[in-house]
Amino acid sequence: MHGEAEKRLVAQLLTLMDGLEPRTNLVVIAATNRPEAIDEALRRPGRFDREIIVGVPDESGRREILAIHTRGMPLDAKVSLRELARTTYGFVGADLNALTREAAIEAVRRIMPKLDLSSGTIAPEILEKLKVTRDDFLEALKRVQPSAMREVMVQSPNIRWEDIGGLDEAQAKLKEGIELPLKNPDAFRRLGIRPAKGFLLYGPPGTGKTLLAKAVARESEANFISTKSSDLLSKWYGESEQIARLFARARQVAPTVIFIDEIDSLAPARGRGTSEPQATERVVNTLLAEMDGLEELQSVVVIGATNRPTLMDPALLRPGRFDELVYVTVPDKGGRRRILGIHTSKMPRGKDVDLDEIAERTDRYTGADLEDLVRRAGLFALREGGADANEVRMAHFSQALNASRATVSPEMEEEYRAMETKLKQAALVPEGMGFVAPGMVKPVRASKHEP
Amino acid sequence: MADKKISKLQVANARPEDSGRGLARLSREYMAGHGLQQGDVVEIIGKRSTAARAVDPYPEDEGLEVIRLDGLQRANAGVGAGDHVEIRKVNSVAAKKVIFAPAQPEIRLEGPADALKRSFIGRVLTAGDIVATHGQQRVAPENMPPQLQQMLAAPAFALTEIRLNVVSTNPKGIVHIDQSTEVELRAEYSDPGDGRRADVTYDDVGGMGDTIRQLREMVELPMRYPELFTRLGVDPPRGVLLHGPPGTGKTRLARAVANESEAEFFVINGPEIMGSAYGESEKKLREIFEKATKAAPSILFIDEIDSIAPRATKCMARRKSGWLRSC
């Protein structure tokens, strides 16, 4: 497909541009979405020597664009462009245009039944009342997808700090490590320090690592790209390109929080496995290159989550990569009380239900365990009262308590606690190079470049 | 600056939310010095002339000799941001009849002229103006005279913004629309003449203030003031490459720049120019360049340049084998 014709055309274009009289008042503007795919000769001085990046709009940009597209539109008083701008992560101008058009069509659809199509004209009083409402926009949002993000899902999570019970230590660490730099990048620039690039959340399963990542993205008003290692791994060659693409997207829609769940399976220690050495090693390498490589990560924070941090490649834990280790522990009593409060907020509780007492009796329960407990209590209430059960009493909770147990054993907790120092040390231990595992015969040459 | 003789003001861009409202924002000092009240009609004379209602300035403009106009008003007056215009207080008369027609060739309009009248009530117009219908303004028009508030709170005409050309008014000159005005809406496009275009203005590209500023420096400045560059002995930039993800408004931006710098605009669509016959596409390219040079000042826009000027072949072949990803 790339043949003689294109070559001649490029040559012609170059000749024409070079041949222009210096004082001709003619400017050639070219546009592309693949700047890496055009002939370098075109980008030499005197040709297309100026480049302007037209990026994905941020929240205030989206608000401006929405204002432009809704300029001639009768909007209902409840429509808040600010709210729309906040929820349309990753939308570009064309998407926002489509969104307003869809919303208008939605409004028209609403009045369709009232129209007398045979008369050919629309009664003025119907036109007068025709307004695009907030619901129209919400309906349109379901249909219009952001085009910049077709490949990688970007979400705007709606979990706030107050939806998380306990975990105060981890919250504080994430707040100062992520929310602060993403919200005030200038403060860090002024002090000449680099915000942390990556956070590794580790802890027993069910303690709310994903929830924390979502909340931090929401509270720092950043985009949130969530991936699982299974999304990024495939049996095909070149899978590590996926990661490169993920990071490229993240940079485009920055500020972004990239969340990689179960990161241990994506980036296991290199040079240990014998059967399939290359597949995941390349992934680790790409990840390392993206995180501290030449391309500066600006306003992109990576959060990894794992419950088996010891299986991860220690190189990922060195400074400049996952700088901060955040231990997400099982909640203490106060935390459990708050979690119970959150989960039972929509539940009609009997007067005798004492959440403090339940919190007292649920030592080492994780957030997921507590959620399960509440669900079980509700089920017991249903079982007892049948379909018209209308409250959950303490007795149900007691039953649920007997039926459930903490997933985390004291030994597990102890082990995780001890892990933090071990992990940091492991990152600094020099790795065995290549195939020269300990105990192997020493190679004849010290280096392959020596004769 | 109490000199009453100064009636030249520098044009600046209005904020997006003011776009299409038919307002001109002037500093209080200037209005007081020229006997203007909020809501009074002023004639704005640049290369052409148009009219607007004077209102209080944005807080940051207080005391500055600027007039804030939106993109369509700038086009109507034939000026760009940074140019100077003459301002004159005038009395508009109620129009007996105003004829509108769509200002975009691809649109056919059929609608009740009465609704249009309601939506345009209080607006000042002159024949030849391009105006835009607007939605209900929900920005509270703080401390403005009631007649202005009424004008801004007028009901919307359609579901989207429609640009209309004022074909003629009776009587001629600067008029405003009131209850007794007869409004006629023609269905077919009519050419505004004068080279006015109801095209994209800077008001219609949102969220890229910085990008617009850069592009203006590179393109609009040399177009408007070529003598500046001649004196400095430098050549203005010849080519600008816009790149970014699809749908971010690269084409729109180029159109806006061309329109605002009053340059002729030529478009080459990358894939379209590839002709089948030998030498055909080069010929097309040459012709467009010739036309653009003749029509200078002009802007030539090449969309999707990657399709006509892809990288050299060597890499492409290797790429298939998957070895040279960085290619």
Side-chain angles (χ1 to χ4, degrees):
Chain A
M1 74 163 244
H2 179 71
E4 280 300 305
E6 281 91 346
K7 265 190 209 158
R8 289 200 321 269
L9 201 54
V10 177
Q12 178 72 72
L13 185 61
L14 295 180
T15 328
L16 283 169
M17 285 194 76
D18 290 345
L20 286 173
E21 290 286 318
R23 299 279 178 265
T24 318
N25 224 339
L26 170 71
V27 177
V28 187
I29 302 180
T32 177
N33 43 43
R34 300 188 302 150
E36 74 286 347
I38 62 170
D39 205 304
E40 304 97 322
L42 275 173
R43 294 164 90 165
R44 280 227 306 269
R47 292 161 188 171
F48 293 100
D49 47 2
R50 307 298 168 101
E51 292 186 16
I52 295 181
I53 302 170
V54 183
V56 177
D58 58 2
E59 188 180 322
S60 67
R62 288 197 297 270
R63 197 176 162 332
E64 275 176 38
I65 295 170
L66 279 169
I68 288 166
H69 288 304
T70 56
R71 207 185 273 153
M73 202 179 257
L75 290 180
D76 190 72
K78 283 208 191 84
V79 179
S80 154
L81 293 187
R82 180 168 305 170
E83 177 201 44
L84 276 174
R86 200 172 51 229
T87 47
T88 46
Y89 282 106
F91 277 61
V92 295
D95 300 326
L96 293 170
N97 190 8
L99 179 75
T100 51
R101 207 173 39 229
E102 280 292 323
I105 289 172
E106 202 61 42
V108 171
R109 200 169 287 155
R110 218 162 4 90
I111 62 154
M112 266 312 235
K114 289 186 212 145
L115 293 186
D116 180 10
L117 290 174
S118 54
S119 74
T121 53
I122 303 169
E125 58 274 13
I126 293 180
L127 268 185
E128 200 92 308
K129 277 195 207 118
L130 182 58
K131 282 204 175 143
V132 184
T133 63
R134 183 167 175 271
D135 287 342
D136 293 334
F137 274 101
L138 294 184
E139 200 56 40
L141 263 175
K142 287 182 198 158
R143 281 203 299 272
V144 182
Q145 296 290 323
S147 56
M149 283 298 144
R150 292 261 156 83
E151 297 156 54
V152 186
M153 262 309 285
V154 168
Q155 321 161 340
S156 54
N158 46 11
I159 294 190
R160 313 198 67 109
W161 288 128
E162 58 261 32
D163 299 327
I164 300 178
L167 308 177
D168 297 316
E169 212 174 301
Q171 269 189 44
K173 232 174 173 174
L174 289 178
K175 262 185 204 166
E176 64 166 60
I178 299 180
E179 200 181 325
L180 205 66
L182 285 186
K183 270 189 167 170
N184 326 293
D186 295 333
F188 276 74
R189 218 169 291 144
R190 208 166 40 236
L191 291 179
I193 49 170
R194 164 186 74 78
K197 282 181 184 168
F199 286 76
L200 182 68
L201 307 180
Y202 71 98
T207 41
K209 295 183 284 295
T210 314
L211 212 59
L212 270 175
K214 278 187 177 165
V216 81
R218 170 74 180 81
E219 294 285 341
S220 47
E221 282 157 23
N223 288 321
F224 184 69
I225 300 183
S226 165
T227 64
K228 289 184 292 295
S229 46
S230 50
D231 297 341
L232 296 172
L233 284 175
S234 83
K235 63 178 175 178
W236 305 113
Y237 194 86
E239 73 220 2
S240 44
E241 279 187 8
Q242 290 264 30
I243 293 186
R245 203 179 301 147
L246 177 82
F247 275 83
R249 284 295 188 204
R251 270 184 220 111
Q252 268 178 12
V253 295
T256 318
V257 171
I258 301 181
F259 179 65
I260 308 177
D261 210 353
E262 313 284 351
I263 196 170
D264 49 292
S265 64
L266 182 71
R270 288 171 294 178
R272 301 229 175 121
T274 44
S275 55
E276 195 206 357
Q278 286 195 355
T280 48
E281 278 186 19
R282 271 200 318 274
V283 174
V284 178
N285 287 337
T286 321
L287 202 58
L288 289 179
E290 287 290 345
M291 285 187 75
D292 69 350
L294 296 168
E295 290 192 70
E296 194 55 41
L297 275 184
Q298 289 207 325
S299 301
V300 177
V301 178
V302 188
I303 300 182
T306 175
N307 34 40
R308 295 178 301 171
T310 40
L311 295 186
M312 274 182 63
D313 193 319
L316 275 173
L317 304 179
R318 281 210 293 272
R321 291 145 187 191
F322 287 99
D323 297 290
E324 299 276 350
L325 293 176
V326 182
Y327 176 40
V328 184
T329 173
V330 289
D332 58 6
K333 193 185 152 216
R336 289 198 296 273
R337 169 70 183 76
R338 290 231 300 283
I339 296 172
L340 283 168
I342 290 163
H343 286 308
T344 56
S345 62
K346 291 200 184 104
M347 183 180 255
R349 292 192 305 251
K351 284 201 187 71
D352 59 340
V353 175
D354 183 0
L355 291 184
D356 287 306
E357 197 201 318
I358 302 174
E360 185 78 55
R361 287 166 61 187
T362 46
D363 192 26
R364 280 184 292 101
Y365 273 55
T366 62
D369 291 340
L370 291 171
E371 188 181 2
D372 182 62
L373 176 83
V374 171
R375 197 180 54 85
R376 270 171 202 269
L379 279 178
F380 280 122
L382 260 187
R383 201 175 290 166
E384 192 187 286
D388 34 58
N390 52 15
E391 65 171 16
V392 185
R393 277 174 284 113
M394 192 62 180
H396 303 132
F397 275 101
S398 299
Q399 269 176 295
L401 271 171
N402 292 335
S404 66
R405 59 178 185 83
T407 18
V408 184
S409 64
E411 299 82 54
M412 266 167 89
E413 219 188 325
E414 196 48 49
E415 210 180 312
Y416 275 111
R417 244 179 235 298
M419 236 174 241
E420 181 155 12
T421 41
K422 263 196 265 171
L423 283 173
K424 278 286 180 194
Q425 277 165 8
L428 301 174
V429 171
E431 283 166 51
M433 297 289 285
F435 297 103
V436 197
M440 263 176 90
V441 183
K442 260 200 168 171
V444 181
R445 290 180 297 171
S447 145
K448 74 174 186 182
H449 296 296
E450 276 171 32
Chain B
M1 303 273 181
D3 190 357
K4 282 194 178 183
K5 292 271 158 55
I6 298 177
S7 57
K8 285 237 170 194
L9 287 177
Q10 196 169 23
V11 177
N13 294 359
R15 283 189 195 159
E17 67 261 27
D18 269 350
S19 180
R21 296 165 96 179
L23 303 176
R25 295 207 176 248
L26 298 159
S27 77
R28 271 179 236 269
E29 212 171 288
Y30 182 89
M31 294 217 290
H34 290 74
L36 284 167
Q37 299 277 324
Q38 275 212 89
D40 279 356
V41 179
V42 287
E43 187 179 6
I44 301 157
I45 309 158
K47 268 188 222 126
R48 294 180 285 264
S49 112
T50 184
R53 285 195 188 269
V55 286
D56 280 349
Y58 301 129
E60 71 266 24
D61 289 354
E62 203 62 79
L64 297 178
E65 303 228 316
V66 295
I67 176 169
R68 295 263 180 185
L69 298 175
D70 70 28
L72 289 177
Q73 290 173 316
R74 292 197 298 271
N76 285 336
V79 293
D83 286 354
H84 287 82
V85 288
E86 241 174 86
I87 311 289
R88 212 173 51 184
K89 183 184 172 184
V90 287
N91 286 319
S92 69
V93 286
K96 289 200 195 80
K97 181 169 185 182
V98 179
I99 302 175
F100 290 101
Q104 286 138 308
E106 64 273 22
I107 280 184
R108 224 189 108 81
L109 269 185
E110 244 174 270
D114 267 355
L116 190 63
K117 181 163 99 181
R118 261 203 304 277
S119 144
F120 271 146
I121 212 129
R123 277 289 280 268
V124 284
L125 309 157
T126 57
D129 275 358
I130 299 205
V131 290
T133 65
H134 58 79
Q136 258 122 330
Q137 299 294 334
R138 293 173 309 131
V139 198
E142 30 9 271
N143 52 49
M144 283 186 185
Q147 125 247 24
L148 256 184
Q149 291 201 10
Q150 190 204 347
M151 171 179 129
L152 296 179
F157 173 62
L159 278 175
T160 76
E161 182 184 46
I162 296 171
R163 302 212 162 152
L164 297 166
N165 168 25
V166 182
V167 181
S168 72
T169 62
N170 178 23
K172 289 195 167 61
I174 294 171
V175 294
H176 64 261
I177 293 181
D178 76 354
Q179 290 298 348
S180 61
T181 307
E182 186 192 337
V183 172
E184 187 186 325
L185 177 60
R186 286 193 188 155
E188 299 290 342
Y189 163 74
S190 83
D191 186 25
D194 263 8
R196 295 186 205 201
R197 277 165 295 181
D199 211 339
V200 185
T201 69
Y202 290 142
D203 297 354
D204 305 321
V205 250
M208 39 171 106
D210 268 355
T211 320
I212 290 178
R213 224 195 46 244
Q214 282 180 41
L215 198 60
R216 280 193 64 189
E217 276 169 22
M218 289 180 205
V219 179
E220 199 183 321
L221 213 63
M223 290 247 159
R224 285 182 168 278
Y225 313 103
E227 64 278 5
L228 198 73
F229 283 77
T230 324
R231 180 170 306 164
L232 289 174
V234 290
D235 289 341
R238 170 118 309 151
V240 178
L241 183 66
L242 303 176
H243 59 85
T248 42
K250 297 182 287 293
T251 314
R252 200 174 245 255
L253 186 63
R255 286 207 98 89
V257 172
N259 189 29
E260 295 259 355
S261 40
E262 304 229 315
E264 283 300 318
F265 191 63
F266 296 88
V267 185
I268 300 176
N269 255 323
E272 263 171 36
I273 200 167
M274 304 301 294
S276 51
Y278 190 87
E280 197 184 304
S281 23
E282 290 97 307
K283 193 170 154 229
K284 270 194 218 157
L285 199 64
R286 269 201 308 276
E287 279 168 6
I288 294 180
F289 261 82
E290 260 165 45
K291 257 199 267 170
T293 318
K294 269 197 200 119
S298 47
I299 286 176
L300 183 60
F301 180 65
I302 308 178
D303 211 350
E304 306 197 32
I305 193 170
D306 47 299
S307 65
I308 67 168
R311 281 195 164 217
T313 16
K314 206 168 47 185
C315 281
M316 306 289 271
R318 281 203 184 171
R319 192 182 189 142
K320 273 186 202 140
S321 70
W323 278 107
L324 263 179
R325 188 161 59 78
S326 59
C327 236

